[in-house]
Amino acid sequence: MVDEELAKESFEELYGVKPRYRFYVEYGRLKEYNAQIIKYYSNIKFKMSRRWMNVSPMIKKGLFESLFIRLFRRSKYLKPKKTMSLELYNSFIKNLDLSSKVKKLDPKLLESFRRVNDVYFNNSLDCPNLRFGREAYYKLASYNFHNDTVTVSSIFKNAPEELLDLLMYHELLHKKLKFSGTISKRFHTKKFRDLERQFKDYNNAEKRLNIYVRRMFKNRKL
Ligand SMILES: [Zn+2]
């Protein structure tokens, strides 16, 4: 089956309605098993890494569905169902994580990971890739579950441990929760926010984080 047909089928399976969109699938230079979804007018385009080319249709369907969920997460009309393809896709990605052995580990972030894993996760988490990204003032950190990587903005290279740990804790919650809970709101669910508040002295730590970012922003090199 052609990918465009498969995308259409995924939409119907997930939402139980026929899509009002035209689908396009394009393979290109994305890393690992990354994929993106882009909507313009009534067109939806999937950009996928070449690695997806030979993945079985059932799993690819799950990928399309997970991208639809992300794209339409605020929709009042489209309510996703739990599907077999999504489950297959999730375990596929999970196994990729386990098999990616070569790690990029920044030593300072590794220390932070060890502290946070110990205090908040009972050392239950496998160490993800840990790297500093560009100097970002808005998106301070992120977790990419396709390649199991925590990226932290470079403005935190010399930040106090507490702030690094706060960011690390948030991203590790993403790592931990990615396969559980409801699918529709799987990024920052209420459960996620409740867990986040379990960080030591959470409200003040958040405040100190904001102050730090503002100060770094003011003093940035232009
Ligand atoms: Zn987040």
Side-chain angles (χ1 to χ4, degrees), residues 170-171 174 188 192:
H170 179 108
E171 301 314 328
H174 280 302
H188 297 145
F192 187 101

Side-chain angles (χ1 to χ4, degrees), residues 110-138:
L110 182 59
E111 278 174 34
S112 172
F113 168 79
R114 288 195 173 130
R115 286 191 297 269
V116 173
N117 196 24
D118 184 39
V119 175
Y120 298 100
F121 298 100
N122 227 339
N123 289 314
S124 66
L125 294 181
D126 292 326
C127 186
N129 294 298
L130 300 164
R131 55 183 282 270
F132 281 108
R134 2 174 243 110
E135 284 183 18
Y137 297 88
Y138 181 68

